[in-house]
Amino acid sequence: MRTARILAGLPQDRLGVLIGLDEGCSSARISRYETGTHEPPFETAKSLAAALGIPAAYFYCVSDELADIILESHDLSVDELINVLEWLRHLKQARQVGKT
């Protein structure tokens, strides 16, 4: 979350206020979310994602690489997403053929 916030050019307190947190505690709350001390409820994660202009799925990725793929693809057109999906399926199929 920290990376997305920094890329959006938002300080912690401003992000917190944008999602409806009290100004007095917003920076501390966002800091806890960023460090993993606390996990935001899904509705809060959706608000954070909307404020940052990213999909909520970004917050739930198991790797930085998958998170980057989601960030790079979230604003593609449907046709572009279909092309990416076909390419990924081709890549996966080629990997399976290589194993046999």
Side-chain angles (χ1 to χ4, degrees):
M1 180 185 332
R2 177 174 284 127
T3 301
R5 177 183 58 76
I6 291 168
L7 288 173
L10 292 170
Q12 290 175 334
D13 58 341
R14 180 73 184 128
L15 176 57
V17 169
L18 284 174
I19 66 164
L21 298 177
D22 179 75
E23 191 172 352
C25 70
S26 63
S27 182
R29 178 87 58 92
I30 298 300
S31 176
R32 287 186 207 112
Y33 293 156
E34 288 181 351
T35 61
T37 304
H38 294 288
E39 185 174 320
F42 186 66
E43 290 302 316
T44 302
K46 288 186 345 184
S47 296
L48 287 164
L52 294 169
I54 61 174
Y58 170 84
F59 298 128
Y60 300 97
C61 292
V62 297
S63 70
D64 289 343
E65 294 78 16
L66 184 55
D68 287 344
I69 289 169
I70 287 174
L71 284 180
E72 292 297 328
S73 64
H74 87 278
D75 61 352
L76 296 177
S77 71
V78 171
D79 288 340
E80 291 168 327
L81 286 171
I82 289 169
N83 286 336
V84 169
L85 183 57
E86 288 173 355
W87 180 82
L88 287 170
R89 287 179 176 153
H90 175 76
L91 181 66
K92 189 174 181 179
Q93 184 179 26
R95 185 182 69 197
Q96 292 299 322
V97 170
K99 287 183 178 180
T100 57

